[in-house]
Amino acid sequence: MLNTIFKKKVKTEKELEIETLKQELDECKYLMQRNDTFFNMAVDESLIDSKIYERISLSHQYDYIIKQIKYLENPEENMVKTGEK
């Protein structure tokens, strides 16, 4: 009985990858918030442009990470969408 209570669940490679992606997603969210803050403080046109491009880049990165997480959490559904077998 005590043996089963104290056993640690070993995470699979897939679970570890999803966990890592979720950490990357949190970091991306933080960077987007930080970008918004600096964008709102910017007065120079070049800096404003830079923050706009950085936001676009972060947005694409965020979307990519979301897709990766969804794929790992439910690969069967994604195979049907892409036509893979």
Side-chain angles (χ1 to χ4, degrees):
M1 171 89 178
L2 285 176
N3 238 359
T4 58
I5 294 174
F6 295 109
K7 270 189 179 176
K8 279 189 174 180
K9 182 183 179 230
V10 178
K11 292 184 180 181
T12 64
E13 187 176 323
K14 182 177 166 181
E15 289 172 328
L16 290 172
E17 191 171 351
I18 290 171
E19 189 176 295
T20 301
L21 285 168
K22 287 182 177 180
Q23 289 172 351
E24 287 179 27
L25 192 63
D26 287 341
E27 170 134 4
C28 191
K29 286 180 191 176
Y30 166 76
L31 291 172
M32 291 170 88
Q33 291 171 344
R34 185 173 159 224
N35 174 271
D36 288 344
T37 300
F38 285 115
F39 174 80
N40 291 330
M41 295 181 347
V43 291
D44 182 66
E45 189 175 318
S46 296
L47 186 56
I48 292 170
D49 288 345
S50 168
K51 293 301 169 189
I52 290 170
Y53 290 121
E54 183 180 348
R55 176 61 182 214
I56 292 168
S57 173
L58 288 167
S59 178
H60 287 291
Q61 183 178 352
Y62 183 89
D63 291 343
Y64 173 77
I65 295 169
I66 291 288
K67 286 179 188 174
Q68 291 298 109
I69 291 171
K70 284 182 180 179
Y71 177 78
L72 288 171
E73 288 178 340
N74 196 356
E76 295 85 23
E77 182 181 315
N78 293 297
M79 284 184 190
V80 172
K81 287 181 183 177
T82 60
E84 297 176 13
K85 292 185 180 182

